[in-house]
PDB file of all heavy atoms in Angstrom:
ATOM      1  N   ALA A  21      -5.114  24.415  16.630  1.00  0.00           N
ATOM      2  CA  ALA A  21      -5.000  24.126  18.081  1.00  0.00           C
ATOM      3  C   ALA A  21      -6.322  24.417  18.771  1.00  0.00           C
ATOM      4  O   ALA A  21      -6.751  23.648  19.692  1.00  0.00           O
ATOM      5  CB  ALA A  21      -3.897  24.930  18.682  1.00  0.00           C
ATOM      6  N   MET A  22      -7.035  25.469  18.307  1.00  0.00           N
ATOM      7  CA  MET A  22      -8.338  25.777  18.941  1.00  0.00           C
ATOM      8  C   MET A  22      -9.374  24.664  18.808  1.00  0.00           C
ATOM      9  O   MET A  22     -10.279  24.485  19.638  1.00  0.00           O
ATOM     10  CB  MET A  22      -8.935  27.072  18.349  1.00  0.00           C
ATOM     11  CG  MET A  22      -8.178  28.354  18.746  1.00  0.00           C
ATOM     12  SD  MET A  22      -8.836  29.811  17.916  1.00  0.00           S
ATOM     13  CE  MET A  22     -10.538  29.806  18.498  1.00  0.00           C
ATOM     14  N   LEU A  23      -9.270  23.892  17.690  1.00  0.00           N
ATOM     15  CA  LEU A  23     -10.209  22.791  17.486  1.00  0.00           C
ATOM     16  C   LEU A  23     -10.020  21.638  18.469  1.00  0.00           C
ATOM     17  O   LEU A  23     -10.990  20.905  18.783  1.00  0.00           O
ATOM     18  CB  LEU A  23     -10.027  22.227  16.058  1.00  0.00           C
ATOM     19  CG  LEU A  23     -10.367  23.084  14.867  1.00  0.00           C
ATOM     20  CD1 LEU A  23     -10.016  22.390  13.564  1.00  0.00           C
ATOM     21  CD2 LEU A  23     -11.879  23.453  14.950  1.00  0.00           C
ATOM     22  N   PHE A  24      -8.828  21.508  19.012  1.00  0.00           N
ATOM     23  CA  PHE A  24      -8.491  20.260  19.766  1.00  0.00           C
ATOM     24  C   PHE A  24      -8.136  20.557  21.227  1.00  0.00           C
ATOM     25  O   PHE A  24      -8.010  19.584  22.006  1.00  0.00           O
ATOM     26  CB  PHE A  24      -7.354  19.545  19.093  1.00  0.00           C
ATOM     27  CG  PHE A  24      -7.673  19.153  17.647  1.00  0.00           C
ATOM     28  CD1 PHE A  24      -7.122  19.882  16.613  1.00  0.00           C
ATOM     29  CD2 PHE A  24      -8.544  18.121  17.391  1.00  0.00           C
ATOM     30  CE1 PHE A  24      -7.379  19.513  15.299  1.00  0.00           C
ATOM     31  CE2 PHE A  24      -8.864  17.767  16.093  1.00  0.00           C
ATOM     32  CZ  PHE A  24      -8.266  18.468  15.015  1.00  0.00           C
ATOM     33  N   ARG A  25      -7.964  21.818  21.566  1.00  0.00           N
ATOM     34  CA  ARG A  25      -7.571  22.147  22.990  1.00  0.00           C
ATOM     35  C   ARG A  25      -8.611  21.675  23.986  1.00  0.00           C
ATOM     36  O   ARG A  25      -9.811  21.809  23.748  1.00  0.00           O
ATOM     37  CB  ARG A  25      -7.356  23.691  23.121  1.00  0.00           C
ATOM     38  CG  ARG A  25      -6.735  24.066  24.405  1.00  0.00           C
ATOM     39  CD  ARG A  25      -6.217  25.492  24.356  1.00  0.00           C
ATOM     40  NE  ARG A  25      -4.990  25.563  23.477  1.00  0.00           N
ATOM     41  CZ  ARG A  25      -4.835  26.423  22.508  1.00  0.00           C
ATOM     42  NH1 ARG A  25      -5.800  27.248  22.224  1.00  0.00           N
ATOM     43  NH2 ARG A  25      -3.745  26.460  21.793  1.00  0.00           N
ATOM     44  N   GLY A  26      -8.146  20.977  24.960  1.00  0.00           N
ATOM     45  CA  GLY A  26      -9.064  20.425  26.030  1.00  0.00           C
ATOM     46  C   GLY A  26      -9.291  18.956  25.859  1.00  0.00           C
ATOM     47  O   GLY A  26      -9.525  18.281  26.874  1.00  0.00           O
ATOM     48  N   ASP A  27      -9.270  18.469  24.635  1.00  0.00           N
ATOM     49  CA  ASP A  27      -9.498  17.019  24.397  1.00  0.00           C
ATOM     50  C   ASP A  27      -8.295  16.237  24.236  1.00  0.00           C
ATOM     51  O   ASP A  27      -8.367  14.959  24.225  1.00  0.00           O
ATOM     52  CB  ASP A  27     -10.435  16.902  23.136  1.00  0.00           C
ATOM     53  CG  ASP A  27     -11.792  17.515  23.355  1.00  0.00           C
ATOM     54  OD1 ASP A  27     -12.303  17.470  24.442  1.00  0.00           O
ATOM     55  OD2 ASP A  27     -12.314  18.067  22.344  1.00  0.00           O
ATOM     56  N   TYR A  28      -7.161  16.871  23.984  1.00  0.00           N
ATOM     57  CA  TYR A  28      -5.904  16.169  23.710  1.00  0.00           C
ATOM     58  C   TYR A  28      -4.732  16.788  24.539  1.00  0.00           C
ATOM     59  O   TYR A  28      -4.777  17.932  24.918  1.00  0.00           O
ATOM     60  CB  TYR A  28      -5.563  16.267  22.204  1.00  0.00           C
ATOM     61  CG  TYR A  28      -6.530  15.601  21.288  1.00  0.00           C
ATOM     62  CD1 TYR A  28      -7.702  16.224  20.895  1.00  0.00           C
ATOM     63  CD2 TYR A  28      -6.351  14.287  20.894  1.00  0.00           C
ATOM     64  CE1 TYR A  28      -8.664  15.615  20.084  1.00  0.00           C
ATOM     65  CE2 TYR A  28      -7.287  13.663  20.076  1.00  0.00           C
ATOM     66  CZ  TYR A  28      -8.429  14.334  19.705  1.00  0.00           C
ATOM     67  OH  TYR A  28      -9.391  13.691  18.914  1.00  0.00           O
ATOM     68  N   ARG A  29      -3.763  15.992  24.714  1.00  0.00           N
ATOM     69  CA  ARG A  29      -2.466  16.517  25.165  1.00  0.00           C
ATOM     70  C   ARG A  29      -1.776  17.068  23.896  1.00  0.00           C
ATOM     71  O   ARG A  29      -1.337  16.286  23.051  1.00  0.00           O
ATOM     72  CB  ARG A  29      -1.681  15.417  25.849  1.00  0.00           C
ATOM     73  CG  ARG A  29      -0.405  15.885  26.475  1.00  0.00           C
ATOM     74  CD  ARG A  29       0.241  14.831  27.363  1.00  0.00           C
ATOM     75  NE  ARG A  29       1.466  15.317  27.964  1.00  0.00           N
ATOM     76  CZ  ARG A  29       2.638  15.166  27.370  1.00  0.00           C
ATOM     77  NH1 ARG A  29       2.774  14.553  26.222  1.00  0.00           N
ATOM     78  NH2 ARG A  29       3.728  15.662  27.958  1.00  0.00           N
ATOM     79  N   LEU A  30      -1.706  18.341  23.856  1.00  0.00           N
ATOM     80  CA  LEU A  30      -1.425  19.026  22.549  1.00  0.00           C
ATOM     81  C   LEU A  30       0.020  19.502  22.460  1.00  0.00           C
ATOM     82  O   LEU A  30       0.576  20.107  23.390  1.00  0.00           O
ATOM     83  CB  LEU A  30      -2.378  20.222  22.426  1.00  0.00           C
ATOM     84  CG  LEU A  30      -2.597  20.738  21.018  1.00  0.00           C
ATOM     85  CD1 LEU A  30      -3.183  19.643  20.088  1.00  0.00           C
ATOM     86  CD2 LEU A  30      -3.594  21.929  21.119  1.00  0.00           C
ATOM     87  N   HIS A  31       0.655  19.204  21.307  1.00  0.00           N
ATOM     88  CA  HIS A  31       1.931  19.802  20.954  1.00  0.00           C
ATOM     89  C   HIS A  31       1.751  20.570  19.644  1.00  0.00           C
ATOM     90  O   HIS A  31       1.118  20.039  18.712  1.00  0.00           O
ATOM     91  CB  HIS A  31       3.023  18.773  20.733  1.00  0.00           C
ATOM     92  CG  HIS A  31       3.451  18.022  21.945  1.00  0.00           C
ATOM     93  ND1 HIS A  31       4.204  18.595  22.926  1.00  0.00           N
ATOM     94  CD2 HIS A  31       3.147  16.731  22.367  1.00  0.00           C
ATOM     95  CE1 HIS A  31       4.451  17.706  23.896  1.00  0.00           C
ATOM     96  NE2 HIS A  31       3.786  16.569  23.577  1.00  0.00           N
ATOM     97  N   THR A  32       2.305  21.751  19.573  1.00  0.00           N
ATOM     98  CA  THR A  32       2.312  22.522  18.271  1.00  0.00           C
ATOM     99  C   THR A  32       3.734  22.961  17.971  1.00  0.00           C
ATOM    100  O   THR A  32       4.482  23.332  18.890  1.00  0.00           O
ATOM    101  CB  THR A  32       1.404  23.741  18.341  1.00  0.00           C
ATOM    102  OG1 THR A  32       1.817  24.601  19.340  1.00  0.00           O
ATOM    103  CG2 THR A  32      -0.051  23.315  18.655  1.00  0.00           C
ATOM    104  N   THR A  33       4.064  22.971  16.697  1.00  0.00           N
ATOM    105  CA  THR A  33       5.379  23.465  16.304  1.00  0.00           C
ATOM    106  C   THR A  33       5.376  23.866  14.832  1.00  0.00           C
ATOM    107  O   THR A  33       4.566  23.377  14.056  1.00  0.00           O
ATOM    108  CB  THR A  33       6.482  22.399  16.531  1.00  0.00           C
ATOM    109  OG1 THR A  33       7.752  22.920  16.111  1.00  0.00           O
ATOM    110  CG2 THR A  33       6.211  21.123  15.728  1.00  0.00           C
ATOM    111  N   THR A  34       6.279  24.765  14.523  1.00  0.00           N
ATOM    112  CA  THR A  34       6.476  25.208  13.123  1.00  0.00           C
ATOM    113  C   THR A  34       7.705  24.567  12.517  1.00  0.00           C
ATOM    114  O   THR A  34       8.029  24.744  11.373  1.00  0.00           O
ATOM    115  CB  THR A  34       6.633  26.700  13.032  1.00  0.00           C
ATOM    116  OG1 THR A  34       7.775  27.114  13.824  1.00  0.00           O
ATOM    117  CG2 THR A  34       5.358  27.408  13.510  1.00  0.00           C
ATOM    118  N   ASP A  35       8.430  23.732  13.349  1.00  0.00           N
ATOM    119  CA  ASP A  35       9.704  23.178  12.923  1.00  0.00           C
ATOM    120  C   ASP A  35       9.616  21.647  12.778  1.00  0.00           C
ATOM    121  O   ASP A  35       9.394  20.920  13.790  1.00  0.00           O
ATOM    122  CB  ASP A  35      10.751  23.540  13.966  1.00  0.00           C
ATOM    123  CG  ASP A  35      12.136  23.064  13.579  1.00  0.00           C
ATOM    124  OD1 ASP A  35      12.242  22.243  12.611  1.00  0.00           O
ATOM    125  OD2 ASP A  35      13.148  23.485  14.249  1.00  0.00           O
ATOM    126  N   PRO A  36       9.795  21.083  11.570  1.00  0.00           N
ATOM    127  CA  PRO A  36       9.732  19.617  11.401  1.00  0.00           C
ATOM    128  C   PRO A  36      10.732  18.878  12.255  1.00  0.00           C
ATOM    129  O   PRO A  36      10.454  17.754  12.739  1.00  0.00           O
ATOM    130  CB  PRO A  36      10.004  19.415   9.881  1.00  0.00           C
ATOM    131  CG  PRO A  36       9.615  20.709   9.265  1.00  0.00           C
ATOM    132  CD  PRO A  36       9.920  21.800  10.297  1.00  0.00           C
ATOM    133  N   HIS A  37      11.912  19.429  12.440  1.00  0.00           N
ATOM    134  CA  HIS A  37      12.921  18.780  13.290  1.00  0.00           C
ATOM    135  C   HIS A  37      12.453  18.710  14.758  1.00  0.00           C
ATOM    136  O   HIS A  37      12.722  17.694  15.399  1.00  0.00           O
ATOM    137  CB  HIS A  37      14.266  19.507  13.173  1.00  0.00           C
ATOM    138  CG  HIS A  37      14.849  19.501  11.807  1.00  0.00           C
ATOM    139  ND1 HIS A  37      15.211  18.348  11.170  1.00  0.00           N
ATOM    140  CD2 HIS A  37      15.051  20.541  10.916  1.00  0.00           C
ATOM    141  CE1 HIS A  37      15.648  18.674   9.910  1.00  0.00           C
ATOM    142  NE2 HIS A  37      15.570  19.951   9.756  1.00  0.00           N
ATOM    143  N   GLU A  38      11.829  19.707  15.233  1.00  0.00           N
ATOM    144  CA  GLU A  38      11.240  19.685  16.581  1.00  0.00           C
ATOM    145  C   GLU A  38      10.137  18.608  16.665  1.00  0.00           C
ATOM    146  O   GLU A  38      10.038  17.894  17.650  1.00  0.00           O
ATOM    147  CB  GLU A  38      10.703  21.043  17.003  1.00  0.00           C
ATOM    148  CG  GLU A  38      10.212  21.004  18.440  1.00  0.00           C
ATOM    149  CD  GLU A  38       9.632  22.393  18.866  1.00  0.00           C
ATOM    150  OE1 GLU A  38       9.830  23.347  18.135  1.00  0.00           O
ATOM    151  OE2 GLU A  38       9.019  22.412  19.925  1.00  0.00           O
ATOM    152  N   ALA A  39       9.314  18.538  15.585  1.00  0.00           N
ATOM    153  CA  ALA A  39       8.278  17.526  15.538  1.00  0.00           C
ATOM    154  C   ALA A  39       8.887  16.092  15.667  1.00  0.00           C
ATOM    155  O   ALA A  39       8.373  15.262  16.442  1.00  0.00           O
ATOM    156  CB  ALA A  39       7.461  17.672  14.279  1.00  0.00           C
ATOM    157  N   LEU A  40       9.973  15.857  14.945  1.00  0.00           N
ATOM    158  CA  LEU A  40      10.627  14.558  15.005  1.00  0.00           C
ATOM    159  C   LEU A  40      11.223  14.338  16.390  1.00  0.00           C
ATOM    160  O   LEU A  40      11.212  13.202  16.908  1.00  0.00           O
ATOM    161  CB  LEU A  40      11.679  14.437  13.918  1.00  0.00           C
ATOM    162  CG  LEU A  40      11.153  14.358  12.498  1.00  0.00           C
ATOM    163  CD1 LEU A  40      12.334  14.492  11.468  1.00  0.00           C
ATOM    164  CD2 LEU A  40      10.412  13.022  12.260  1.00  0.00           C
ATOM    165  N   ALA A  41      11.721  15.367  17.014  1.00  0.00           N
ATOM    166  CA  ALA A  41      12.270  15.224  18.394  1.00  0.00           C
ATOM    167  C   ALA A  41      11.158  14.855  19.379  1.00  0.00           C
ATOM    168  O   ALA A  41      11.396  14.020  20.251  1.00  0.00           O
ATOM    169  CB  ALA A  41      12.938  16.512  18.819  1.00  0.00           C
ATOM    170  N   ILE A  42       9.983  15.453  19.220  1.00  0.00           N
ATOM    171  CA  ILE A  42       8.881  15.092  20.115  1.00  0.00           C
ATOM    172  C   ILE A  42       8.481  13.662  19.882  1.00  0.00           C
ATOM    173  O   ILE A  42       8.263  12.887  20.874  1.00  0.00           O
ATOM    174  CB  ILE A  42       7.662  16.043  19.800  1.00  0.00           C
ATOM    175  CG1 ILE A  42       8.035  17.492  20.201  1.00  0.00           C
ATOM    176  CG2 ILE A  42       6.434  15.584  20.557  1.00  0.00           C
ATOM    177  CD1 ILE A  42       7.003  18.535  19.741  1.00  0.00           C
TER     178      ILE A  42
END
Side-chain angles (χ1 to χ4, degrees):
M22 287 177 62
L23 292 176
F24 301 105
R25 188 163 289 129
D27 295 325
Y28 296 84
R29 186 168 179 270
L30 202 57
H31 291 286
T32 61
T33 179
T34 58
D35 184 347
H37 297 297
E38 183 180 350
L40 290 170
I42 294 170

